[in-house]
Amino acid sequence: MVIVALDFSKAFDTVRHSSVMAKVAQLDLPDNIYNWLANHLHEHSHCTRYHGHTSDMHEVNPSIIQGSGVGPILYVVNGADLHVVKPGNYLVKYADDTYLVIPACNVDTRDIEIANVDTWSQANNLKLNLAKSAEIVYRDHRKRLCFRQPPPLDGVMRVTSLKVLGVTFTHSQWRQNLVHTPQS
């Protein structure tokens, strides 16, 4: 199995209000909730205060506030239309953390899946940052003779441990879990 942890540069800062609201409009929400969200994003402005000096107010068009109550939810709505190309592959998404999970039988689809994510990200004003993305390959050590290590993905670092939502997975843990799994 291969897991690719995908990184989007400044993900929350580049989400277009118009795009996310078009996706919110497709949800079955009461009008007052839709209108509240639209009002929350409309004419959103920002200023910076530093050492007693305050900058002018500037309107913010792309961006949703990551630390707000609705920011992560809007990001999830924005990413809801990102899907895999090949059946059997999976996308695991939590706010701006996105993981592409590919079983061994589909390992040759990694490039088309990455290309699909890149195309989606460009259409949604995001930038897929392959230099900060990481790939880990897990294998069942009981099947040494059947294993063919896939070539590394272009521009993606291959790692031996990966942190997924605060939990670190390593090759040795994966092997230990496979070895100690009871057989039916």
Side-chain angles (χ1 to χ4, degrees):
M1 170 179 19
V2 174
I3 299 176
V4 183
L6 300 169
D7 182 81
F8 297 100
S9 298
K10 301 186 183 282
F12 280 83
D13 296 340
T14 58
V15 174
R16 288 188 199 109
H17 294 171
S18 59
S19 298
V20 76
M21 287 310 296
K23 294 175 184 186
V24 168
Q26 295 175 3
L27 300 175
D28 186 23
L29 291 175
D31 289 345
N32 61 328
I33 302 296
Y34 174 86
N35 292 335
W36 181 86
L37 288 169
N39 187 37
H40 174 72
L41 296 176
H42 181 69
E43 294 182 7
H44 199 92
S45 58
H46 173 80
C47 71
T48 302
R49 184 173 294 155
Y50 182 73
H51 285 299
H53 299 283
T54 304
S55 69
D56 293 336
M57 295 293 279
H58 293 282
E59 187 173 340
V60 179
N61 288 322
S63 92
I64 48 180
I65 302 168
Q66 185 172 2
S68 71
V70 297
I73 294 166
L74 290 174
Y75 191 87
V76 168
V77 169
N78 190 62
D81 59 348
L82 173 59
H83 302 286
V84 295
V85 175
K86 177 75 173 169
N89 296 342
Y90 299 94
L91 279 168
V92 178
K93 301 179 268 186
Y94 181 78
D96 63 334
D97 292 325
T98 304
Y99 303 92
L100 178 59
V101 180
I102 302 176
C105 62
N106 287 345
V107 74
D108 294 334
T109 65
R110 294 174 307 147
D111 288 325
I112 63 167
E113 293 292 0
I114 296 292
N116 175 59
V117 171
D118 190 44
T119 300
W120 175 89
S121 66
Q122 290 175 33
N124 284 274
N125 203 41
L126 295 169
K127 182 178 183 335
L128 179 60
N129 187 352
L130 291 180
K132 284 190 172 180
S133 297
E135 173 189 48
I136 191 166
V137 178
Y138 290 110
R139 68 185 192 125
D140 184 342
H141 289 273
R142 297 171 295 184
K143 299 178 181 178
R144 284 179 201 236
L145 300 177
C146 301
F147 180 72
R148 180 180 57 91
Q149 179 88 356
L153 286 166
D154 285 338
V156 178
M157 178 177 24
R158 182 164 289 167
V159 296
T160 58
S161 67
L162 185 65
K163 189 178 263 190
V164 177
L165 301 176
V167 177
T168 302
F169 295 93
T170 64
H171 286 290
S172 61
Q173 287 172 326
W174 184 259
R175 182 171 189 249
Q176 186 177 28
N177 288 340
L178 286 173
V179 170
H180 291 59
T181 302
Q183 299 295 317
S184 317

